[in-house]
Amino acid sequence: MSNDVIGIVVRVMPSGDELEVELPIYSTGKEIKEELIDAGVAPRTDPEGVPYVYDLVFKRKNVSIGDNKTLYDLQIESGDTLFLAPRMNAGTH
């Protein structure tokens, strides 16, 4: 397995804040979301303490990156943009 690292842009929704990150090409969607939440880029819970569930979306192909898919699997390249967005669940409030 290669140690390839790519630089991508992550746009955090709904704020639209963007940050450039370097990630191993074999990072899974779940690992990326956890790393961003742990780094304080996105909140783990809403103001009422309800845990957020995030979707990670690959903008160029407009596909959701599942928990088990890797950047490599989806042919994500340096400079691509991913959206980190809280999933809207009906009936949670």
Side-chain angles (χ1 to χ4, degrees):
M1 186 153 81
S2 171
N3 288 331
D4 290 346
V5 173
I6 61 170
I8 58 173
V9 174
V10 175
R11 182 174 294 166
V12 181
M13 303 308 288
S15 68
D17 293 343
E18 287 189 354
L19 61 144
E20 293 182 20
V21 296
E22 290 190 350
L23 296 167
I25 193 74
Y26 294 103
S27 298
T28 65
K30 183 176 184 173
E31 291 168 342
I32 296 166
K33 289 186 282 187
E34 280 299 315
E35 191 169 318
L36 292 168
I37 291 167
D38 289 347
V41 171
R44 193 169 293 280
T45 61
D46 73 8
E48 297 170 8
V50 177
Y52 279 119
V53 176
Y54 286 95
D55 283 324
L56 198 58
V57 178
F58 177 25
K59 183 182 177 199
R60 182 163 48 92
K61 293 186 177 180
N62 196 31
V63 296
S64 181
I65 301 171
D67 283 350
N68 299 316
K69 292 282 187 188
T70 67
L71 300 177
Y72 178 83
D73 292 337
L74 296 169
Q75 301 172 339
I76 294 171
E77 303 168 358
S78 282
D80 278 336
T81 300
L82 303 181
F83 284 81
L84 179 69
R87 186 178 303 156
M88 298 299 158
N89 293 326
T92 55
H93 290 283

